[in-house]
Amino acid sequence: MTFSRSKPAPVPTVFVVDDEVLLLELAATILTPLGCKVCTFTDPEKALQEFPAAAPILVLTDYAMGRMSGMDLIRECRRINPQQKTILISGTVDGEVFAGAAVKPDVFVAKPYDVNKLVDMVRTMITA
């Protein structure tokens, strides 16, 4: 009798990009139990460099981060992967910031956000 070993399913990667380290730590703490590999970045340009090789299932990004905004990051990620799932999070702007944009996030979340609602959103997006 022979047994075939199947490879375990790959762990989905989630990118979290925010210039506030405490919010990155919070996101990693609440998302890791979902079975994700959480990669955190304070610099959206660094996240974009890592994006092609990591092929994250989801990108959560803050809006205001200096030279590159979260909308810029979403646009560049979608240029590489047009089906990229994204969540834009902001405490400084509302959903109007992307109303006229050619590329929009899948979901907009205002800070401060409800942790349980964010977890539910992420769970839905990574299993869809």
Side-chain angles (χ1 to χ4, degrees):
M1 183 182 290
T2 60
F3 294 97
S4 65
R5 290 189 181 179
S6 59
K7 291 183 179 179
V11 175
T13 299
V14 174
F15 274 20
V16 182
V17 188
D18 198 311
D19 57 353
E20 295 182 47
V21 174
L22 287 175
L23 292 176
L24 291 176
E25 291 172 358
L26 172 64
T29 300
I30 64 174
L31 299 179
T32 300
L34 296 178
C36 304
K37 175 184 177 187
V38 179
C39 298
T40 59
F41 301 89
T42 56
D43 179 355
E45 292 172 349
K46 177 70 173 160
L48 191 56
Q49 288 173 357
E50 301 287 328
F51 180 83
I57 192 168
L58 176 64
V59 175
L60 284 86
T61 181
D62 186 30
Y63 175 76
M65 296 181 288
R67 292 190 322 245
M68 179 182 242
S69 75
M71 285 300 297
D72 295 334
L73 178 61
I74 289 170
R75 183 186 66 244
E76 291 304 308
C77 289
R78 292 259 178 85
R79 186 179 56 75
I80 297 166
N81 175 9
Q83 283 74 45
Q84 182 61 55
K85 297 175 188 178
T86 61
I87 297 176
L88 179 67
I89 301 172
S90 181
T92 58
V93 297
D94 60 20
E96 292 299 312
V97 74
F98 57 83
V103 176
K104 296 174 176 41
D106 294 302
V107 177
F108 174 79
V109 177
K111 288 180 186 176
Y113 51 81
D114 178 289
V115 170
N116 293 322
K117 287 182 182 177
L118 182 66
V119 167
D120 289 344
M121 271 187 262
V122 170
R123 182 180 290 122
T124 299
M125 291 182 85
I126 64 174
T127 58

Short mmCIF file of all heavy atoms in Angstrom, two decimals, residues 13-66:
data_model
loop_
_atom_site.label_atom_id
_atom_site.label_comp_id
_atom_site.label_asym_id
_atom_site.label_seq_id
_atom_site.Cartn_x
_atom_site.Cartn_y
_atom_site.Cartn_z
N THR A 13 -0.92 35.14 2.93
CA THR A 13 -0.16 36.29 3.40
C THR A 13 -1.03 37.53 3.34
O THR A 13 -1.71 37.78 2.34
CB THR A 13 1.10 36.50 2.54
OG1 THR A 13 1.92 35.34 2.64
CG2 THR A 13 1.88 37.72 2.98
N VAL A 14 -0.99 38.31 4.42
CA VAL A 14 -1.69 39.58 4.48
C VAL A 14 -0.66 40.66 4.75
O VAL A 14 0.15 40.54 5.67
CB VAL A 14 -2.77 39.57 5.60
CG1 VAL A 14 -3.40 40.94 5.76
CG2 VAL A 14 -3.83 38.52 5.31
N PHE A 15 -0.66 41.71 3.93
CA PHE A 15 0.19 42.87 4.16
C PHE A 15 -0.60 43.90 4.95
O PHE A 15 -1.75 44.19 4.61
CB PHE A 15 0.61 43.51 2.83
CG PHE A 15 1.83 42.92 2.17
CD1 PHE A 15 2.29 41.65 2.48
CD2 PHE A 15 2.51 43.64 1.21
CE1 PHE A 15 3.40 41.12 1.86
CE2 PHE A 15 3.63 43.13 0.58
CZ PHE A 15 4.08 41.86 0.90
N VAL A 16 0.03 44.46 5.97
CA VAL A 16 -0.54 45.56 6.72
C VAL A 16 0.47 46.70 6.66
O VAL A 16 1.63 46.52 7.04
CB VAL A 16 -0.85 45.19 8.18
CG1 VAL A 16 -1.50 46.36 8.91
CG2 VAL A 16 -1.75 43.95 8.26
N VAL A 17 0.03 47.85 6.15
CA VAL A 17 0.93 48.98 5.93
C VAL A 17 0.38 50.19 6.67
O VAL A 17 -0.73 50.65 6.39
CB VAL A 17 1.07 49.29 4.43
CG1 VAL A 17 2.14 50.34 4.20
CG2 VAL A 17 1.37 48.02 3.63
N ASP A 18 1.16 50.69 7.62
CA ASP A 18 0.75 51.85 8.42
C ASP A 18 2.01 52.46 9.01
O ASP A 18 2.91 51.73 9.41
CB ASP A 18 -0.21 51.42 9.53
CG ASP A 18 -1.00 52.57 10.13
OD1 ASP A 18 -0.39 53.60 10.47
OD2 ASP A 18 -2.23 52.42 10.27
N ASP A 19 2.07 53.78 9.07
CA ASP A 19 3.26 54.40 9.64
C ASP A 19 3.22 54.47 11.17
O ASP A 19 4.16 54.91 11.79
CB ASP A 19 3.51 55.79 9.04
CG ASP A 19 2.33 56.74 9.20
OD1 ASP A 19 1.26 56.32 9.66
OD2 ASP A 19 2.48 57.92 8.83
N GLU A 20 2.15 53.97 11.77
CA GLU A 20 2.04 53.91 13.22
C GLU A 20 2.33 52.48 13.69
O GLU A 20 1.54 51.57 13.46
CB GLU A 20 0.65 54.34 13.68
CG GLU A 20 0.35 55.80 13.37
CD GLU A 20 -1.01 56.22 13.87
OE1 GLU A 20 -1.33 55.92 15.05
OE2 GLU A 20 -1.75 56.83 13.09
N VAL A 21 3.47 52.30 14.34
CA VAL A 21 3.93 50.97 14.74
C VAL A 21 2.92 50.28 15.67
O VAL A 21 2.68 49.08 15.52
CB VAL A 21 5.33 51.06 15.41
CG1 VAL A 21 5.75 49.72 15.96
CG2 VAL A 21 6.35 51.57 14.40
N LEU A 22 2.31 51.00 16.58
CA LEU A 22 1.34 50.38 17.48
C LEU A 22 0.16 49.79 16.73
O LEU A 22 -0.34 48.72 17.09
CB LEU A 22 0.84 51.39 18.52
CG LEU A 22 1.85 51.74 19.61
CD1 LEU A 22 1.30 52.84 20.52
CD2 LEU A 22 2.21 50.52 20.43
N LEU A 23 -0.27 50.45 15.66
CA LEU A 23 -1.38 49.91 14.87
C LEU A 23 -0.95 48.68 14.08
O LEU A 23 -1.74 47.75 13.88
CB LEU A 23 -1.96 50.98 13.96
CG LEU A 23 -2.68 52.10 14.71
CD1 LEU A 23 -3.15 53.18 13.74
CD2 LEU A 23 -3.84 51.56 15.52
N LEU A 24 0.30 48.64 13.66
CA LEU A 24 0.82 47.44 13.01
C LEU A 24 0.84 46.26 13.98
O LEU A 24 0.46 45.14 13.63
CB LEU A 24 2.23 47.68 12.46
CG LEU A 24 2.35 48.62 11.27
CD1 LEU A 24 3.82 48.82 10.93
CD2 LEU A 24 1.58 48.10 10.07
N GLU A 25 1.30 46.53 15.20
CA GLU A 25 1.35 45.48 16.22
C GLU A 25 -0.06 44.98 16.54
O GLU A 25 -0.28 43.77 16.68
CB GLU A 25 2.04 45.99 17.48
CG GLU A 25 3.53 46.22 17.27
CD GLU A 25 4.21 46.92 18.44
OE1 GLU A 25 3.53 47.26 19.44
OE2 GLU A 25 5.44 47.12 18.35
N LEU A 26 -1.03 45.90 16.65
CA LEU A 26 -2.41 45.50 16.90
C LEU A 26 -2.93 44.64 15.77
O LEU A 26 -3.52 43.58 16.00
CB LEU A 26 -3.30 46.75 17.07
CG LEU A 26 -4.81 46.47 17.14
CD1 LEU A 26 -5.15 45.66 18.38
CD2 LEU A 26 -5.59 47.78 17.12
N ALA A 27 -2.70 45.06 14.53
CA ALA A 27 -3.17 44.30 13.39
C ALA A 27 -2.57 42.90 13.36
O ALA A 27 -3.27 41.91 13.13
CB ALA A 27 -2.84 45.04 12.09
N ALA A 28 -1.28 42.79 13.63
CA ALA A 28 -0.64 41.47 13.65
C ALA A 28 -1.25 40.59 14.75
O ALA A 28 -1.49 39.40 14.54
CB ALA A 28 0.87 41.61 13.85
N THR A 29 -1.51 41.18 15.89
CA THR A 29 -2.08 40.44 17.02
C THR A 29 -3.48 39.92 16.69
O THR A 29 -3.81 38.78 17.03
CB THR A 29 -2.13 41.33 18.28
OG1 THR A 29 -0.80 41.72 18.60
CG2 THR A 29 -2.75 40.61 19.46
N ILE A 30 -4.29 40.74 16.02
CA ILE A 30 -5.67 40.30 15.77
C ILE A 30 -5.82 39.46 14.51
O ILE A 30 -6.76 38.68 14.41
CB ILE A 30 -6.65 41.49 15.73
CG1 ILE A 30 -6.36 42.44 14.58
CG2 ILE A 30 -6.66 42.23 17.06
CD1 ILE A 30 -7.36 43.56 14.40
N LEU A 31 -4.88 39.55 13.57
CA LEU A 31 -5.02 38.81 12.32
C LEU A 31 -4.29 37.47 12.31
O LEU A 31 -4.71 36.55 11.61
CB LEU A 31 -4.55 39.66 11.14
CG LEU A 31 -5.33 40.96 10.92
CD1 LEU A 31 -4.75 41.73 9.74
CD2 LEU A 31 -6.81 40.69 10.73
N THR A 32 -3.22 37.34 13.06
CA THR A 32 -2.47 36.08 13.08
C THR A 32 -3.35 34.89 13.48
O THR A 32 -3.24 33.82 12.86
CB THR A 32 -1.23 36.21 13.98
OG1 THR A 32 -0.41 37.26 13.45
CG2 THR A 32 -0.44 34.92 14.01
N PRO A 33 -4.25 35.02 14.47
CA PRO A 33 -5.10 33.87 14.81
C PRO A 33 -6.04 33.41 13.68
O PRO A 33 -6.59 32.32 13.75
CB PRO A 33 -5.92 34.38 16.01
CG PRO A 33 -5.09 35.45 16.61
CD PRO A 33 -4.41 36.11 15.45
N LEU A 34 -6.18 34.22 12.63
CA LEU A 34 -7.01 33.81 11.49
C LEU A 34 -6.28 32.82 10.59
O LEU A 34 -6.84 32.35 9.60
CB LEU A 34 -7.43 35.03 10.66
CG LEU A 34 -8.31 36.06 11.35
CD1 LEU A 34 -8.59 37.22 10.41
CD2 LEU A 34 -9.60 35.43 11.83
N GLY A 35 -5.03 32.51 10.94
CA GLY A 35 -4.25 31.57 10.14
C GLY A 35 -3.50 32.25 9.01
O GLY A 35 -3.12 31.61 8.03
N CYS A 36 -3.27 33.55 9.16
CA CYS A 36 -2.55 34.33 8.14
C CYS A 36 -1.10 34.51 8.54
O CYS A 36 -0.77 34.55 9.71
CB CYS A 36 -3.14 35.74 8.03
SG CYS A 36 -4.87 35.81 7.69
N LYS A 37 -0.28 34.69 7.53
CA LYS A 37 1.07 35.20 7.75
C LYS A 37 0.93 36.71 7.58
O LYS A 37 0.60 37.18 6.49
CB LYS A 37 2.05 34.63 6.72
CG LYS A 37 3.43 35.23 6.84
CD LYS A 37 4.34 34.71 5.74
CE LYS A 37 5.69 35.39 5.84
NZ LYS A 37 6.54 35.04 4.69
N VAL A 38 1.14 37.45 8.64
CA VAL A 38 0.96 38.90 8.61
C VAL A 38 2.33 39.56 8.44
O VAL A 38 3.22 39.36 9.27
CB VAL A 38 0.27 39.41 9.89
CG1 VAL A 38 0.11 40.92 9.85
CG2 VAL A 38 -1.08 38.72 10.08
N CYS A 39 2.48 40.31 7.36
CA CYS A 39 3.70 41.07 7.09
C CYS A 39 3.37 42.53 7.29
O CYS A 39 2.47 43.06 6.64
CB CYS A 39 4.18 40.83 5.66
SG CYS A 39 4.60 39.13 5.30
N THR A 40 4.09 43.17 8.20
CA THR A 40 3.81 44.57 8.51
C THR A 40 4.91 45.48 7.96
O THR A 40 6.09 45.10 7.94
CB THR A 40 3.68 44.78 10.03
OG1 THR A 40 4.89 44.39 10.67
CG2 THR A 40 2.51 43.99 10.59
N PHE A 41 4.48 46.66 7.53
CA PHE A 41 5.40 47.62 6.93
C PHE A 41 5.04 49.03 7.41
O PHE A 41 3.86 49.40 7.38
CB PHE A 41 5.29 47.62 5.40
CG PHE A 41 5.59 46.30 4.77
CD1 PHE A 41 4.58 45.37 4.56
CD2 PHE A 41 6.88 45.98 4.37
CE1 PHE A 41 4.84 44.15 3.97
CE2 PHE A 41 7.16 44.75 3.77
CZ PHE A 41 6.14 43.84 3.58
N THR A 42 6.05 49.80 7.80
CA THR A 42 5.82 51.22 8.10
C THR A 42 6.05 52.06 6.85
O THR A 42 5.66 53.22 6.81
CB THR A 42 6.76 51.72 9.22
OG1 THR A 42 8.12 51.46 8.83
CG2 THR A 42 6.46 51.07 10.54
N ASP A 43 6.64 51.48 5.83
CA ASP A 43 6.97 52.19 4.59
C ASP A 43 6.24 51.53 3.42
O ASP A 43 6.53 50.38 3.07
CB ASP A 43 8.49 52.13 4.38
CG ASP A 43 8.95 52.83 3.11
OD1 ASP A 43 8.10 53.29 2.31
OD2 ASP A 43 10.18 52.91 2.91
N PRO A 44 5.31 52.24 2.79
CA PRO A 44 4.57 51.63 1.68
C PRO A 44 5.46 51.28 0.49
O PRO A 44 5.16 50.31 -0.23
CB PRO A 44 3.53 52.69 1.30
CG PRO A 44 3.98 53.95 1.94
CD PRO A 44 4.84 53.59 3.10
N GLU A 45 6.55 52.01 0.30
CA GLU A 45 7.45 51.68 -0.80
C GLU A 45 8.14 50.33 -0.57
O GLU A 45 8.34 49.56 -1.51
CB GLU A 45 8.46 52.80 -1.01
CG GLU A 45 7.79 54.07 -1.54
CD GLU A 45 8.70 55.27 -1.59
OE1 GLU A 45 9.81 55.23 -1.03
OE2 GLU A 45 8.27 56.27 -2.20
N LYS A 46 8.47 50.03 0.67
CA LYS A 46 9.06 48.73 1.01
C LYS A 46 8.02 47.62 0.79
O LYS A 46 8.35 46.55 0.26
CB LYS A 46 9.55 48.74 2.46
CG LYS A 46 10.12 47.42 2.94
CD LYS A 46 11.44 47.09 2.28
CE LYS A 46 12.02 45.84 2.93
NZ LYS A 46 13.01 45.19 2.09
N ALA A 47 6.78 47.89 1.18
CA ALA A 47 5.71 46.90 0.95
C ALA A 47 5.56 46.62 -0.53
O ALA A 47 5.42 45.46 -0.94
CB ALA A 47 4.40 47.41 1.54
N LEU A 48 5.64 47.66 -1.34
CA LEU A 48 5.50 47.49 -2.78
C LEU A 48 6.67 46.69 -3.36
O LEU A 48 6.47 45.87 -4.26
CB LEU A 48 5.40 48.86 -3.46
CG LEU A 48 4.99 48.85 -4.93
CD1 LEU A 48 3.68 48.12 -5.15
CD2 LEU A 48 4.92 50.27 -5.44
N GLN A 49 7.87 46.87 -2.81
CA GLN A 49 9.02 46.08 -3.26
C GLN A 49 8.81 44.60 -2.98
O GLN A 49 9.19 43.75 -3.78
CB GLN A 49 10.29 46.55 -2.56
CG GLN A 49 10.81 47.88 -3.01
CD GLN A 49 11.99 48.35 -2.14
OE1 GLN A 49 12.37 47.70 -1.17
NE2 GLN A 49 12.55 49.48 -2.51
N GLU A 50 8.23 44.28 -1.83
CA GLU A 50 8.02 42.89 -1.41
C GLU A 50 6.78 42.27 -2.06
O GLU A 50 6.64 41.05 -2.09
CB GLU A 50 7.87 42.82 0.11
CG GLU A 50 9.06 43.34 0.89
CD GLU A 50 10.25 42.41 0.83
OE1 GLU A 50 10.05 41.19 0.75
OE2 GLU A 50 11.39 42.91 0.88
N PHE A 51 5.89 43.09 -2.56
CA PHE A 51 4.58 42.65 -3.05
C PHE A 51 4.64 41.54 -4.10
O PHE A 51 3.97 40.52 -3.95
CB PHE A 51 3.79 43.87 -3.55
CG PHE A 51 2.43 43.53 -4.08
CD1 PHE A 51 1.36 43.38 -3.22
CD2 PHE A 51 2.21 43.36 -5.44
CE1 PHE A 51 0.10 43.07 -3.70
CE2 PHE A 51 0.97 43.05 -5.94
CZ PHE A 51 -0.10 42.90 -5.06
N PRO A 52 5.42 41.70 -5.19
CA PRO A 52 5.38 40.66 -6.23
C PRO A 52 5.78 39.28 -5.74
O PRO A 52 5.13 38.28 -6.07
CB PRO A 52 6.36 41.18 -7.29
CG PRO A 52 6.42 42.65 -7.07
CD PRO A 52 6.28 42.83 -5.58
N ALA A 53 6.84 39.19 -4.95
CA ALA A 53 7.31 37.88 -4.49
C ALA A 53 6.39 37.28 -3.44
O ALA A 53 6.18 36.07 -3.40
CB ALA A 53 8.73 38.01 -3.92
N ALA A 54 5.80 38.11 -2.58
CA ALA A 54 4.96 37.61 -1.48
C ALA A 54 3.56 37.25 -1.94
O ALA A 54 2.92 36.38 -1.37
CB ALA A 54 4.90 38.65 -0.36
N ALA A 55 3.07 37.93 -2.97
CA ALA A 55 1.72 37.71 -3.50
C ALA A 55 0.67 37.63 -2.38
O ALA A 55 0.00 36.62 -2.21
CB ALA A 55 1.69 36.45 -4.36
N PRO A 56 0.53 38.70 -1.61
CA PRO A 56 -0.43 38.66 -0.50
C PRO A 56 -1.86 38.51 -0.99
O PRO A 56 -2.22 39.00 -2.07
CB PRO A 56 -0.24 40.01 0.19
CG PRO A 56 0.28 40.91 -0.87
CD PRO A 56 1.14 40.03 -1.75
N ILE A 57 -2.67 37.82 -0.20
CA ILE A 57 -4.07 37.64 -0.53
C ILE A 57 -4.85 38.93 -0.26
O ILE A 57 -5.87 39.19 -0.87
CB ILE A 57 -4.67 36.44 0.24
CG1 ILE A 57 -6.03 36.07 -0.32
CG2 ILE A 57 -4.74 36.73 1.73
CD1 ILE A 57 -6.55 34.74 0.18
N LEU A 58 -4.31 39.76 0.66
CA LEU A 58 -4.99 40.98 1.06
C LEU A 58 -3.96 42.03 1.46
O LEU A 58 -2.95 41.70 2.07
CB LEU A 58 -5.91 40.68 2.25
CG LEU A 58 -6.67 41.84 2.89
CD1 LEU A 58 -7.66 42.47 1.93
CD2 LEU A 58 -7.39 41.35 4.15
N VAL A 59 -4.25 43.29 1.11
CA VAL A 59 -3.42 44.42 1.54
C VAL A 59 -4.32 45.36 2.34
O VAL A 59 -5.32 45.86 1.81
CB VAL A 59 -2.80 45.17 0.34
CG1 VAL A 59 -2.06 46.41 0.81
CG2 VAL A 59 -1.87 44.26 -0.45
N LEU A 60 -3.96 45.57 3.61
CA LEU A 60 -4.62 46.58 4.45
C LEU A 60 -3.65 47.74 4.54
O LEU A 60 -2.49 47.55 4.91
CB LEU A 60 -4.85 46.07 5.87
CG LEU A 60 -5.96 45.09 6.13
CD1 LEU A 60 -5.49 43.68 5.90
CD2 LEU A 60 -6.41 45.27 7.55
N THR A 61 -4.12 48.93 4.21
CA THR A 61 -3.21 50.07 4.24
C THR A 61 -3.87 51.31 4.81
O THR A 61 -5.05 51.56 4.57
CB THR A 61 -2.65 50.37 2.83
OG1 THR A 61 -1.74 51.47 2.92
CG2 THR A 61 -3.73 50.68 1.83
N ASP A 62 -3.07 52.05 5.56
CA ASP A 62 -3.48 53.36 6.04
C ASP A 62 -3.48 54.30 4.84
O ASP A 62 -2.83 54.02 3.82
CB ASP A 62 -2.49 53.84 7.11
CG ASP A 62 -2.92 55.13 7.78
OD1 ASP A 62 -4.14 55.39 7.89
OD2 ASP A 62 -2.04 55.89 8.22
N TYR A 63 -4.18 55.42 4.95
CA TYR A 63 -4.19 56.38 3.85
C TYR A 63 -2.98 57.31 3.90
O TYR A 63 -2.22 57.38 2.94
CB TYR A 63 -5.49 57.21 3.87
CG TYR A 63 -5.46 58.29 2.82
CD1 TYR A 63 -5.66 57.97 1.49
CD2 TYR A 63 -5.19 59.61 3.15
CE1 TYR A 63 -5.59 58.94 0.50
CE2 TYR A 63 -5.13 60.59 2.18
CZ TYR A 63 -5.33 60.25 0.86
OH TYR A 63 -5.25 61.22 -0.11
N ALA A 64 -2.81 58.01 5.01
CA ALA A 64 -1.78 59.05 5.10
C ALA A 64 -0.49 58.48 5.66
O ALA A 64 -0.42 58.10 6.83
CB ALA A 64 -2.27 60.21 5.98
N MET A 65 0.56 58.42 4.80
CA MET A 65 1.83 57.84 5.24
C MET A 65 3.05 58.56 4.69
O MET A 65 4.12 57.98 4.59
CB MET A 65 1.91 56.36 4.85
CG MET A 65 0.89 55.49 5.52
SD MET A 65 1.05 53.77 5.04
CE MET A 65 0.44 53.83 3.37
N GLY A 66 2.92 59.80 4.30
CA GLY A 66 4.10 60.52 3.80
C GLY A 66 4.15 60.57 2.30
O GLY A 66 3.18 60.91 1.65
#
